[in-house]
Amino acid sequence: MSRAKNSGAARAGEMQDRLLCWFDCNKRAMPWRARAGHAPNPYHVWLSEIMLQQTTVAAVAPYFEKFVKKWPTVKKLAAADLDAVLAQWAGLGYYARARNLHACAQTIVRDYGGAFPCTVDELRALQGIGPYTAAAIASIAFDVQAVAVDGNVERVVSRLYAIETPLPRSKPDIKIRAEEIASDVTRAGDFTQAFMELGATVCTPKNPKCGLCPWQAYCKAGQAGTAARFPRKTPKAARPVRYGKVFWITDAQGRFLVHKRSGKGLYEGLYQLPTTQWTHDKDAAMRVKAPFSGLVSKGLSVRHTFTHFDVVLEIYTGVKKAHRVPVSLTGARWIYPENMGDYGLPSLMKKAIKLCMGARRLEQAAG
Ligand code: SF4
């Protein structure tokens, strides 16, 4: 082995030791983390990793606890009704994750007898598991040497090496460097979590705490005082906006109309208020007719941000005496506001409902 390779391995070994030592003293308690002396539960690791995609630890914790209480094993989750899973997921967003979660649980039970596979390749072939998640599950649940590069790891590595190439172009370089740092690590699962935890709690996007960092001696940006400049990012294009109408239709008993979204798309299989197609052409969106006559706009609208676009829906309201609904509204039903929690209503719809109920209360108070 050449001297350069030797010194690279020695440096990686030192970095691993320092990070693991720091992690042992500083790791946060999380409901899905194994207690000291206990083996990780692959079901908990998988569930938490799926929930944490695009979502924060603080937001995920109560959902995780609800899920494992209701479905304590992957077999129980596989046997659950998809509607019940979607209802428990409501509010976490990115509902394709919940549908994939349910499908994946069924695959694990059908093809693996309810025991999670432990290799990155087998995990990668399951529904809803991409390269990052497969590496995270393999290493955290099974101590496999696999480097999971999330946003936290990207930020730490970008700063360690003061990488000037902007993201996302720098991703391949970051992955290679992260693999070098993690090469031949013992305690692979702890190292994966420690790497991410360092980014989440010390090497934070704003005001990184370099003075508390176990890797300060190895960090170019930290030593130069330029951490805040990294990672470099390619400027984002302006977020596009889509427009549409949403309908709050009530009956004399105070119930409101929802229906189940059919077809492929963001809200597939979820209950929602009736809505028109969302389009970039605002004028065309406002010309689309309501499913009932007599619905009016009182100037209320709701805005929501998705990953790649914003949506603005103008709210139309009305009271119906007869309970006939147009055939276009599949799976329609009238529900009481207090029973909303039984349905997988997405956050955008909950926002619209809250606005409408607030407006109705004001109207009633005004007589
Ligand atoms: Fe991040 Fe500072 Fe540590 Fe470098 S020294 S990895 S910039 S916290």
Side-chain angles (χ1 to χ4, degrees), residues 156 159-160 202-203 208-210 213 216 219 222 227:
V156 173
R159 290 171 173 173
L160 279 171
V202 174
C203 195
K209 305 168 192 74
C210 300
C213 180
Q216 194 182 21
C219 181

PDB file of all heavy atoms in Angstrom, residues 156 159-160 202-203 208-210 213 216 219 222 227, ligand 1:
ATOM      1  N   VAL A 156     -21.962  18.656   5.374  1.00  0.00           N
ATOM      2  CA  VAL A 156     -20.727  18.435   6.128  1.00  0.00           C
ATOM      3  C   VAL A 156     -19.554  18.218   5.163  1.00  0.00           C
ATOM      4  O   VAL A 156     -18.492  18.843   5.300  1.00  0.00           O
ATOM      5  CB  VAL A 156     -20.879  17.223   7.081  1.00  0.00           C
ATOM      6  CG1 VAL A 156     -19.542  16.902   7.742  1.00  0.00           C
ATOM      7  CG2 VAL A 156     -21.933  17.488   8.141  1.00  0.00           C
ATOM      8  N   ARG A 159     -18.310  21.239   3.276  1.00  0.00           N
ATOM      9  CA  ARG A 159     -17.531  22.156   4.115  1.00  0.00           C
ATOM     10  C   ARG A 159     -16.163  21.571   4.451  1.00  0.00           C
ATOM     11  O   ARG A 159     -15.164  22.299   4.466  1.00  0.00           O
ATOM     12  CB  ARG A 159     -18.323  22.474   5.394  1.00  0.00           C
ATOM     13  CG  ARG A 159     -19.532  23.349   5.091  1.00  0.00           C
ATOM     14  CD  ARG A 159     -20.434  23.504   6.284  1.00  0.00           C
ATOM     15  NE  ARG A 159     -21.492  24.476   6.020  1.00  0.00           N
ATOM     16  CZ  ARG A 159     -22.508  24.713   6.848  1.00  0.00           C
ATOM     17  NH1 ARG A 159     -22.610  24.056   7.989  1.00  0.00           N
ATOM     18  NH2 ARG A 159     -23.421  25.617   6.526  1.00  0.00           N
ATOM     19  N   LEU A 160     -16.131  20.258   4.715  1.00  0.00           N
ATOM     20  CA  LEU A 160     -14.839  19.627   5.045  1.00  0.00           C
ATOM     21  C   LEU A 160     -13.820  19.894   3.943  1.00  0.00           C
ATOM     22  O   LEU A 160     -12.650  20.160   4.204  1.00  0.00           O
ATOM     23  CB  LEU A 160     -15.024  18.116   5.176  1.00  0.00           C
ATOM     24  CG  LEU A 160     -15.572  17.562   6.488  1.00  0.00           C
ATOM     25  CD1 LEU A 160     -15.884  16.086   6.341  1.00  0.00           C
ATOM     26  CD2 LEU A 160     -14.580  17.759   7.633  1.00  0.00           C
ATOM     27  N   VAL A 202     -24.713  20.099  14.705  1.00  0.00           N
ATOM     28  CA  VAL A 202     -23.493  20.917  14.851  1.00  0.00           C
ATOM     29  C   VAL A 202     -23.173  21.666  13.562  1.00  0.00           C
ATOM     30  O   VAL A 202     -23.059  22.885  13.531  1.00  0.00           O
ATOM     31  CB  VAL A 202     -22.290  20.025  15.271  1.00  0.00           C
ATOM     32  CG1 VAL A 202     -20.999  20.840  15.278  1.00  0.00           C
ATOM     33  CG2 VAL A 202     -22.533  19.429  16.649  1.00  0.00           C
ATOM     34  N   CYS A 203     -23.090  20.920  12.463  1.00  0.00           N
ATOM     35  CA  CYS A 203     -22.766  21.547  11.173  1.00  0.00           C
ATOM     36  C   CYS A 203     -24.070  21.981  10.495  1.00  0.00           C
ATOM     37  O   CYS A 203     -24.431  21.533   9.418  1.00  0.00           O
ATOM     38  CB  CYS A 203     -21.991  20.549  10.300  1.00  0.00           C
ATOM     39  SG  CYS A 203     -21.184  21.340   8.905  1.00  0.00           S
ATOM     40  N   PRO A 208     -23.042  27.243  11.985  1.00  0.00           N
ATOM     41  CA  PRO A 208     -22.466  25.963  12.426  1.00  0.00           C
ATOM     42  C   PRO A 208     -21.586  26.172  13.653  1.00  0.00           C
ATOM     43  O   PRO A 208     -20.922  27.206  13.789  1.00  0.00           O
ATOM     44  CB  PRO A 208     -21.631  25.513  11.219  1.00  0.00           C
ATOM     45  CG  PRO A 208     -21.414  26.745  10.398  1.00  0.00           C
ATOM     46  CD  PRO A 208     -22.597  27.628  10.639  1.00  0.00           C
ATOM     47  N   LYS A 209     -21.620  25.178  14.551  1.00  0.00           N
ATOM     48  CA  LYS A 209     -20.892  25.307  15.824  1.00  0.00           C
ATOM     49  C   LYS A 209     -19.528  24.638  15.681  1.00  0.00           C
ATOM     50  O   LYS A 209     -19.273  23.567  16.273  1.00  0.00           O
ATOM     51  CB  LYS A 209     -21.702  24.657  16.938  1.00  0.00           C
ATOM     52  CG  LYS A 209     -23.126  25.221  17.050  1.00  0.00           C
ATOM     53  CD  LYS A 209     -23.972  24.363  17.965  1.00  0.00           C
ATOM     54  CE  LYS A 209     -25.446  24.714  17.878  1.00  0.00           C
ATOM     55  NZ  LYS A 209     -26.107  24.254  16.646  1.00  0.00           N
ATOM     56  N   CYS A 210     -18.652  25.253  14.913  1.00  0.00           N
ATOM     57  CA  CYS A 210     -17.355  24.625  14.610  1.00  0.00           C
ATOM     58  C   CYS A 210     -16.533  24.362  15.867  1.00  0.00           C
ATOM     59  O   CYS A 210     -15.784  23.393  15.935  1.00  0.00           O
ATOM     60  CB  CYS A 210     -16.573  25.489  13.634  1.00  0.00           C
ATOM     61  SG  CYS A 210     -17.442  25.717  12.065  1.00  0.00           S
ATOM     62  N   CYS A 213     -17.162  20.927  17.153  1.00  0.00           N
ATOM     63  CA  CYS A 213     -17.181  19.872  16.130  1.00  0.00           C
ATOM     64  C   CYS A 213     -15.989  18.910  16.263  1.00  0.00           C
ATOM     65  O   CYS A 213     -14.842  19.354  16.324  1.00  0.00           O
ATOM     66  CB  CYS A 213     -17.161  20.521  14.744  1.00  0.00           C
ATOM     67  SG  CYS A 213     -17.180  19.315  13.415  1.00  0.00           S
ATOM     68  N   GLN A 216     -13.277  19.443  13.397  1.00  0.00           N
ATOM     69  CA  GLN A 216     -12.756  20.784  13.077  1.00  0.00           C
ATOM     70  C   GLN A 216     -11.313  20.704  12.545  1.00  0.00           C
ATOM     71  O   GLN A 216     -10.950  21.422  11.608  1.00  0.00           O
ATOM     72  CB  GLN A 216     -12.812  21.688  14.299  1.00  0.00           C
ATOM     73  CG  GLN A 216     -12.610  23.152  13.917  1.00  0.00           C
ATOM     74  CD  GLN A 216     -12.614  24.077  15.117  1.00  0.00           C
ATOM     75  OE1 GLN A 216     -12.377  23.634  16.239  1.00  0.00           O
ATOM     76  NE2 GLN A 216     -12.863  25.344  14.883  1.00  0.00           N
ATOM     77  N   CYS A 219     -11.252  20.136   8.804  1.00  0.00           N
ATOM     78  CA  CYS A 219     -12.245  20.849   7.984  1.00  0.00           C
ATOM     79  C   CYS A 219     -11.672  22.134   7.390  1.00  0.00           C
ATOM     80  O   CYS A 219     -11.324  23.070   8.116  1.00  0.00           O
ATOM     81  CB  CYS A 219     -13.456  21.181   8.855  1.00  0.00           C
ATOM     82  SG  CYS A 219     -14.751  22.024   7.937  1.00  0.00           S
ATOM     83  N   GLY A 222     -14.226  25.078   7.976  1.00  0.00           N
ATOM     84  CA  GLY A 222     -14.295  25.383   9.409  1.00  0.00           C
ATOM     85  C   GLY A 222     -13.076  26.164   9.853  1.00  0.00           C
ATOM     86  O   GLY A 222     -13.176  27.132  10.611  1.00  0.00           O
ATOM     87  N   ALA A 227     -17.486  28.443   6.552  1.00  0.00           N
ATOM     88  CA  ALA A 227     -18.482  27.359   6.498  1.00  0.00           C
ATOM     89  C   ALA A 227     -19.818  27.815   5.909  1.00  0.00           C
ATOM     90  O   ALA A 227     -20.447  27.083   5.136  1.00  0.00           O
ATOM     91  CB  ALA A 227     -18.686  26.788   7.895  1.00  0.00           C
TER      92      ALA A 227
HETATM   93 FE1  SF4 B   1     -19.057  21.778   9.888  1.00  0.00          FE
HETATM   94 FE2  SF4 B   1     -17.571  23.524  11.252  1.00  0.00          FE
HETATM   95 FE3  SF4 B   1     -17.391  20.902  11.721  1.00  0.00          FE
HETATM   96 FE4  SF4 B   1     -16.457  21.915   9.473  1.00  0.00          FE
HETATM   97  S1  SF4 B   1     -15.729  22.369  11.533  1.00  0.00           S
HETATM   98  S2  SF4 B   1     -17.669  20.051   9.670  1.00  0.00           S
HETATM   99  S3  SF4 B   1     -17.940  23.526   9.063  1.00  0.00           S
HETATM  100  S4  SF4 B   1     -19.184  22.224  12.076  1.00  0.00           S
END
